[in-house]
Amino acid sequence: MLQTIIYSLILIACLLLMFFKPISKYTLSSRYIDYGIGTVVLIILFIVVIATYVSPAMIEEDLAKEPCGSATPQGVCYSLDHGLCQSLWQKARGDCQIEMSDLIKSRPTGLIGPGLNRCSARKMDKAIRYNRAKTESAYCKAYFKYIEEVNGH
């Protein structure tokens, strides 16, 4: 709250500086000095606001979307420690890359990301099926159904 008040006061001061031009009036210099100082301070303020408010939220959203993040099926539908989940996902992904190596070699420009993710999810589920949690949620039910369909059940 205090940061918001300080940023608002800086913004108001910049706008007043650019509107009333006090520096150029008292120093009898060009009015563009006021515009320049006001613009530079506004740009710096804009960068600071972006770094303070926008960037942390974007980083948090990106981390939630990583495998085993809080917004992914691995993070929501399994009761695992985050580190263990990450290592299991990496192992499953490595196994799938080995399995799909012929496909990758034959079609190097093909889109393999969705297939690789599907294979990794299937292998991870096979390894930790008994650590499923929250199976009553619609999100997890749909995910497990998707895994089982891919698994051929």
Side-chain angles (χ1 to χ4, degrees), residues 16-106:
L16 290 174
L17 176 71
M18 293 170 77
F19 184 72
F20 291 113
K21 302 173 219 46
I23 295 174
S24 62
K25 285 181 184 175
Y26 293 118
T27 60
L28 301 175
S29 60
S30 173
R31 63 181 173 187
Y32 296 110
I33 290 178
D34 295 302
Y35 294 143
I37 292 172
T39 303
V40 168
V41 173
L42 281 176
I43 291 171
I44 292 171
L45 178 67
F46 179 73
I47 292 170
V48 169
V49 168
I50 293 286
T52 303
Y53 293 111
V54 178
S55 293
M58 290 176 65
I59 290 170
E60 188 175 319
E61 286 178 15
D62 288 343
L63 287 176
K65 293 176 187 173
E66 291 282 320
C68 300
S70 61
T72 62
Q74 297 84 22
V76 174
C77 301
Y78 295 99
S79 56
L80 291 173
D81 178 55
H82 182 72
L84 177 62
C85 183
Q86 286 280 26
S87 64
L88 285 169
W89 181 262
Q90 291 302 324
K91 181 177 180 341
R93 191 165 186 85
D95 292 346
C96 288
Q97 285 175 335
I98 292 170
E99 280 181 19
M100 298 177 72
S101 63
D102 292 336
L103 178 67
I104 294 169
K105 287 177 187 173
S106 67

Side-chain angles (χ1 to χ4, degrees), residues 73-80 85 121 124-126 128-134 140 143-144 147:
Q74 297 84 22
V76 174
C77 301
Y78 295 99
S79 56
L80 291 173
C85 183
M124 185 172 164
D125 185 64
K126 193 181 292 184
I128 58 169
R129 178 177 290 279
Y130 297 107
N131 286 353
R132 288 181 175 184
K134 300 181 182 178
C140 292
Y143 175 72
F144 294 140
I147 292 296

